[in-house]
Amino acid sequence: MTTSAKLNSLTVAAFRGSCANFTLPFETGRKLTLVYGENGTGKTTICDAFDFLAYERVSSLDGYGLGKGLEKFWPTATKSGQNLAVTLETSAGACSGRIVNKQVVVSPPELRPKIELLRRQQILSLIQAQPKERYDAIKRFIDITGFEASEAALRQQVKDVADELSRAQLAEGQSLQELQGFYEAAGSPKGLNVVSWASQKLAQPSANLDTDIAAIAELRSTFDRLKAYPERVAVCSRTLLEAKAALDTAEQQLAAAAASVTDGLADTLTVLEAGSMFLHEHPDASACPLCRSEERMTGLAADVASRLARLGALRTATTLRLTRATALASAESAVAQVAADYRKASAAYTAAKTRYAWNASVKLPTSEPPVDIGSLQAWLAANDAIAGTWADIEASWRDERKFVATLNAASDRYQTNAAARCYLQAIAPKLDAALKICIDQRQVFTNEIIGAIAKEIGELYEKVHPGEGLDAIALPLDPKKRASIELEARFAGKDVPPQAYFSQSHLDTLGLCVFLALACRDRAEETILILDDVLGSVDEPHVERIVEMIYEVSARFRHTILTTHYRPWRERFRWGALKPGQPCQFIELGPWDATNGMRHYARLPETEMLRGLLAAQPMDVQSISSKAGVILEYALDYLTQRYECAVPRRNGGAYTIGDLLPAVSKKLRDALKVEIRDSMADPNASATSVVPLKPLLDEIERIATVRNIMGAHFNALSFDLLDQDAVNFAHLVLKLVDGLCDPTHGWPNNDKSGSYWRNAGDSRRLYPLKKPS
């Protein structure tokens, strides 16, 4: 639950720069708090405290390369998270934030403040952001979540189809290029384009090609087998002749061996061999194994061995003759087998040749293989050249078959890709049209809201830069993109992106106006507006208008806190030049130190401080004269700059009363006067009073001359003036400043009238416009 309760105080302990307990009070009846402080005095800590309560974060630490776990940097460097506490006291109660078990606990949650926080580093974020990011910052004011989801889905479909179409077009081109290669390889037949040639080529039957390849492969195989027979016949013939000669030789050797053996000895060969074996195995036998005789056993083994030796040649010859007879039979059988195999091979060749209707390109032998195998070699030699062409023909047919298969695959790819491309080309425009309808309808709805925001931005910007030709701020939706907002402004009569033409100061101002316009649209009456040092680059001529614009806008919010280290703001408050209609609380932060942490004190304008010194009892004359001298220096500096008076040139430009007062010449003093027009709405009405400045300046100069302080800095007044002179001096200075400066509308700085200088409320008119010559 949010609340619009008034703020009483903010107390922080062990949080960021607050080493000791720090309490920032908020004055009753003042919805605007201006916190001034030099760098390092704790301005950002105050803003961080509200950020901590509202969002359980400290966003000032973002973007500094500190990595994750920024929570460890929240407590003061010398304290732990258990000591950290932030409390906001309001008229509705107190809201406190602590860290418990490494978690932020804010209680009671219903009093958690609603804030809008703008930091210096964020001021240009919406200006420099990409159009989509700019839309994201505004979309919370445009409730089209469901519609955006549908549009996003349609946009994704459009993208997907476009990607698919691009891929299909690329694939179609590649497959067409592939077909082009085949077409050119075929000689680019005239009268046919690539696609029609491929279709015609693939329409031709390819079954005969496979049969041709099988038939010629068989013919080549049967012819090649015939080539082996001349060699086989030659080998077999030589083997047969050699076998016959070897057998004749063996028979002759056998006859010779038989003739050399005693008659009958050959018949006992077997018995002798058996007996030799017996005697070898039974060397101790005492009787003959055949006759059982014992008396002949002596010397029997030697006798048997002698007779067997004489029979060895016969035995060898017999074995050789048997072996060679067997070899002859094998040679004769081999010759017969070769003849039989040849007849079969010849028949196979004849069948392969005669049973197929050959293509005219195939040349064939005119005769069949000879019946007589002996004539085969001559026949082969006569037909070898013809048979040699068959391998090339078969290879060409196989290439043709491979070509047709590859062409068929390429043609299929082309047809598939072409069909996909046609389909996608048909639906892509329809999807684009549907998306355009969605975008148009969304823009009609959102443009009304965004137009109102842009109008308010322009109105705020015009308050700061009236008549500079940088008006007409616009936030047009990009019709070509979803959720994308451009940023435009008028410059030299043209619509341009302000980032390209505006100065840094103008961009800062524009960024502030954008932020304020958006913040105003989100329950501003419940929101604490916090501006953390946002206008460091604003130049002097725009300070008053910036302040007036912020004061005007801040009235819409629950409370506004503005921090700054911009010294001109502080000085303008000191000198009464920062007093708008809305009451403002001014707090100045003092120097920070590690022991006491942050400190603050309220500051009054210098003129109010001087009045307070004059009213105090007992009167501190030294302080009165010193303060009056400071104020006089400021007033004289204003006059000498306004009328371009000649002052001594000095390094650093630190001028004293002794430099400034004589610079206001007698002619200028005679002409100087101020028309006071308090509470006058009619610019043509007569002034309520006229204050000539010459008497005041002359009397001030008289006091200074009498006391011989010419050339002395203001702080010497406190030692040289008598008490009454000091008091009179102070009253003269106040009368001079009160005439020149309106506490509400400030000093006359506008020369648009052409004849006088006026302040923002036209309550003071300073004459003349130019220094008399």
Side-chain angles (χ1 to χ4, degrees):
M1 179 184 71
T2 55
T3 177
S4 57
K6 302 298 184 291
L7 305 188
N8 294 335
S9 66
L10 175 72
T11 301
V12 293
F15 177 77
R16 304 290 288 133
S18 57
C19 304
N21 286 0
F22 172 80
T23 299
L24 179 70
F26 296 101
E27 292 183 12
T28 302
R30 298 179 185 269
K31 293 178 61 178
L32 177 61
T33 300
L34 178 62
V35 180
Y36 171 83
E38 300 293 340
N39 290 329
T41 56
K43 301 186 298 298
T44 298
T45 294
I46 295 171
C47 301
D48 287 341
F50 283 97
D51 202 11
F52 178 80
L53 288 177
Y55 300 115
E56 301 177 10
R57 71 185 184 190
V58 178
S59 59
S60 66
L61 298 175
D62 295 342
Y64 288 99
L66 296 176
K68 298 180 179 179
L70 297 177
E71 297 84 358
K72 60 179 174 288
F73 301 113
W74 294 356
T76 300
T78 58
K79 304 293 180 65
S80 67
Q82 297 176 346
N83 305 120
L84 185 153
V86 177
T87 302
L88 178 64
E89 292 277 356
T90 69
S91 59
C95 177
S96 297
R98 294 181 176 273
I99 295 180
V100 180
N101 296 327
K102 298 183 178 181
Q103 298 292 324
V104 178
V105 177
V106 177
S107 63
E110 61 271 15
L111 292 182
R112 182 194 298 268
K114 179 180 181 297
I115 72 169
E116 289 287 352
L117 171 59
L118 178 65
R119 301 185 187 275
R120 171 65 192 155
Q121 61 267 32
Q122 300 167 332
I123 195 167
L124 293 181
S125 60
L126 202 62
I127 305 298
Q128 298 173 340
Q130 295 298 316
K132 181 183 183 305
E133 296 170 350
R134 192 177 295 120
Y135 180 87
D136 289 339
I138 296 177
K139 70 178 182 181
R140 59 177 167 151
F141 307 109
I142 309 168
D143 188 14
I144 55 172
T145 306
F147 191 91
E148 282 187 329
S150 300
E151 183 182 331
L154 182 56
R155 189 181 297 276
Q156 184 61 46
Q157 189 172 7
V158 168
K159 180 180 181 301
D160 291 343
V161 168
D163 291 343
E164 289 182 29
L165 177 58
S166 178
R167 290 192 294 269
Q169 290 172 332
L170 178 60
E172 181 186 15
Q174 291 174 339
S175 55
L176 183 61
Q177 187 175 6
E178 188 178 10
L179 285 180
Q180 180 69 29
F182 292 122
Y183 176 72
E184 292 174 356
S188 303
K190 294 182 179 180
L192 296 173
N193 60 30
V194 175
V195 177
S196 59
W197 166 80
S199 299
Q200 187 180 88
K201 180 70 176 178
L202 294 173
Q204 298 173 0
S206 60
N208 291 342
L209 191 59
D210 293 334
T211 306
D212 287 345
I213 292 172
I216 201 166
E218 182 182 7
L219 180 63
R220 288 181 57 214
S221 177
T222 56
F223 186 86
D224 288 343
R225 284 198 294 270
L226 290 176
K227 291 180 178 180
Y229 282 96
E231 180 63 23
R232 287 182 61 187
V233 169
V235 171
C236 289
S237 297
R238 287 195 302 270
T239 303
L240 179 60
L241 292 175
E242 292 172 356
K244 285 180 179 181
L247 180 59
D248 290 344
T249 302
E251 286 178 343
Q252 292 174 6
Q253 291 175 351
L254 178 60
S260 65
V261 177
T262 306
D263 291 343
L265 186 59
D267 296 335
T268 64
L269 177 61
T270 303
V271 176
L272 290 172
E273 288 177 344
S276 176
M277 186 178 297
F278 175 80
L279 292 174
H280 178 73
E281 294 176 355
H282 303 84
D284 297 331
S286 59
C288 176
L290 293 177
C291 65
R292 303 285 184 174
S293 172
E294 296 180 2
E295 65 272 10
R296 292 187 179 273
M297 280 301 294
T298 301
L300 180 59
D303 182 58
V304 170
S306 176
R307 284 187 284 176
L308 282 174
R310 292 196 301 269
L311 290 173
L314 179 61
R315 182 172 54 187
T316 300
T318 301
T319 300
L320 180 60
R321 191 265 173 198
L322 180 60
T323 299
R324 292 184 175 177
T326 301
L328 177 60
S330 296
E332 290 173 343
S333 176
V335 170
Q337 185 62 47
V338 168
D341 290 345
Y342 170 69
R343 288 191 294 273
K344 291 180 181 179
S346 177
Y349 165 77
T350 301
K353 171 187 173 184
T354 57
R355 70 181 171 206
Y356 194 75
W358 295 102
N359 187 292
S361 62
V362 179
K363 297 183 180 300
L364 300 171
T366 55
S367 61
E368 303 303 323
V371 175
D372 180 9
I373 197 170
S375 303
L376 178 60
Q377 183 64 46
W379 183 85
L380 288 172
N383 295 289
D384 189 60
I386 294 175
T389 63
W390 299 341
D392 293 338
I393 293 174
E394 180 183 353
S396 68
W397 287 349
R398 289 186 183 276
D399 289 344
E400 177 71 10
R401 182 173 63 180
K402 187 184 297 184
F403 173 80
V404 171
T406 307
L407 177 63
N408 186 60
S411 179
D412 286 345
R413 285 192 293 272
Y414 170 75
Q415 296 297 338
T416 300
N417 293 332
R421 187 261 306 159
C422 290
Y423 169 74
L424 293 170
Q425 276 186 333
I427 66 170
K430 297 177 181 178
L431 288 173
D432 289 337
L435 179 60
K436 185 177 184 304
I437 292 173
C438 288
I439 293 173
D440 290 344
Q441 293 302 312
R442 171 176 55 80
Q443 288 181 339
V444 168
F445 177 76
T446 57
N447 270 336
E448 295 181 3
I449 298 175
I450 295 174
I453 295 173
K455 180 181 179 182
E456 184 162 6
I457 294 172
E459 291 174 352
L460 294 176
Y461 194 75
E462 182 66 14
K463 292 179 184 296
V464 181
H465 302 280
E468 292 187 14
L470 305 176
D471 54 350
I473 305 298
L475 297 169
L477 279 170
D478 188 339
K480 298 179 181 179
K481 300 177 182 177
R482 185 198 68 81
S484 181
I485 293 181
E486 301 295 337
L487 180 63
E488 293 180 354
R490 296 291 291 178
F491 184 85
K494 296 182 178 180
D495 292 329
V496 298
Q499 307 95 309
Y501 295 93
F502 282 22
S503 69
Q504 183 65 45
S505 175
H506 285 81
L507 287 176
D508 281 354
T509 306
L510 179 58
L512 176 63
C513 292
V514 170
F515 175 82
L516 292 176
L518 294 178
C520 287
R521 298 186 67 85
D522 189 10
R523 295 175 297 161
E525 69 281 357
E526 300 175 4
T527 302
I528 299 174
L529 176 66
I530 304 172
L531 305 176
D532 184 16
D533 219 357
V534 296
L535 292 178
S537 71
V538 176
D539 51 359
E540 189 71 20
H542 297 96
V543 170
E544 287 189 3
R545 292 196 291 269
I546 281 282
V547 173
E548 289 176 5
M549 185 269 288
I550 292 177
Y551 277 62
E552 179 181 335
V553 173
S554 66
R556 308 184 200 178
F557 291 88
R558 174 185 176 187
H559 199 96
T560 299
I561 299 172
L562 176 64
T563 72
T564 183
H565 73 282
Y566 188 50
R567 181 170 291 274
W569 283 30
R570 172 179 178 271
E571 297 306 310
R572 296 179 85 82
F573 183 87
R574 287 179 61 193
W575 304 113
L578 201 60
K579 271 287 190 178
Q582 181 186 349
C584 170
Q585 176 188 7
F586 187 93
I587 294 177
E588 185 167 345
L589 298 178
W592 179 94
D593 63 67
T595 301
N596 300 309
M598 299 162 56
R599 65 187 74 180
H600 72 85
Y601 48 87
R603 176 176 288 278
L604 295 172
E606 294 292 313
T607 53
E608 297 304 315
M609 294 175 68
L610 178 56
R611 287 187 175 92
L613 290 172
L614 289 169
Q617 295 295 330
M619 191 177 291
D620 185 349
V621 177
Q622 180 180 346
S623 298
I624 290 173
S625 57
S626 294
K627 183 63 67 178
V630 171
I631 297 173
L632 177 60
E633 278 189 355
Y634 182 87
L636 292 175
D637 184 71
Y638 165 81
L639 288 173
T640 53
Q641 287 198 50
R642 181 64 60 234
Y643 292 103
E644 301 177 352
C645 297
V647 295
R649 185 179 181 186
R650 181 177 295 123
N651 185 28
Y655 301 113
T656 66
I657 294 175
D659 300 321
L660 297 170
L661 190 55
V664 183
S665 65
K666 181 179 183 305
K667 285 187 177 180
L668 178 57
R669 292 187 191 189
D670 292 339
L672 284 173
K673 67 177 181 179
V674 177
E675 290 184 356
I676 298 178
R677 306 171 51 78
D678 292 332
S679 304
M680 298 182 65
D682 184 2
N684 298 316
S686 300
T688 55
S689 63
V690 178
V691 178
L693 300 187
K694 175 178 171 49
L696 298 174
L697 294 173
D698 288 347
E699 183 61 17
I700 290 172
E701 188 172 30
R702 184 194 67 77
I703 295 176
T705 302
V706 168
R707 300 310 305 163
N708 193 26
I709 61 170
M710 280 303 187
H713 196 48
F714 67 86
N715 55 17
L717 292 172
S718 60
F719 301 104
D720 293 338
L721 293 179
L722 297 176
D723 289 356
Q724 189 56 47
D725 285 343
V727 172
N728 291 338
F729 176 74
H731 282 295
L732 287 170
V733 169
L734 283 177
K735 189 172 182 179
L736 173 67
V737 173
D738 287 343
L740 288 170
C741 177
D742 182 347
T744 300
H745 301 293
W747 299 70
N749 290 317
N750 191 316
D751 62 350
K752 301 299 182 183
S753 69
S755 58
Y756 54 82
W757 295 91
R758 60 181 292 272
N759 63 7
D762 198 20
S763 61
R764 297 289 187 276
R765 291 181 179 179
L766 174 63
Y767 295 86
L769 185 66
K770 300 292 183 179
K771 180 176 66 173
S773 58

